[in-house]
Amino acid sequence: PRWRCGIPETMCGRDLDDVFAYPSVKMVRIRDARLGLFKLLLLVAIVLYVALYELAYQGLYLRASPVTGAVRFTLQQPTKDACDPQAP
């Protein structure tokens, strides 16, 4: 087999570059004033909708809802070596 930097190029007939390949995100900067302004206005509209309409006007986060569930609380004296005092 051929070697590159101390690592074989293939193993079991497969190219190691393909075996250990991974995806990556490419970052792009879009230079368009119309799109930038549209993005900014859309973000402001979403924040205003959530802050003013959903939180301030409707106030659903203040609505009380019934609590469901059960609680179990058991006190037990300390034991040696984690033995169970309930066991015979």
Side-chain angles (χ1 to χ4, degrees), residues 14-88:
R14 297 198 56 197
D15 187 358
L16 289 183
D17 287 335
D18 292 331
V19 172
F20 295 110
Y22 61 94
S24 178
V25 178
K26 182 176 182 179
M27 300 300 290
V28 179
R29 182 175 181 92
I30 299 174
R31 296 181 61 229
D32 188 346
R34 292 173 296 173
L35 285 176
L37 183 61
F38 179 71
K39 176 189 173 198
L40 182 63
L41 290 176
L42 191 61
L43 288 174
V44 168
I46 291 170
V47 169
L48 289 176
Y49 170 76
V50 171
L52 297 179
Y53 181 72
E54 292 291 332
L55 296 178
Y57 179 67
Q58 285 193 333
L60 294 179
Y61 68 98
L62 296 172
R63 182 178 62 184
S65 60
V67 177
T68 58
V71 177
R72 179 178 161 184
F73 185 72
T74 305
L75 289 176
Q76 181 176 322
Q77 66 184 8
T79 60
K80 184 175 181 180
D81 296 327
C83 74
D84 185 5
Q86 303 293 328

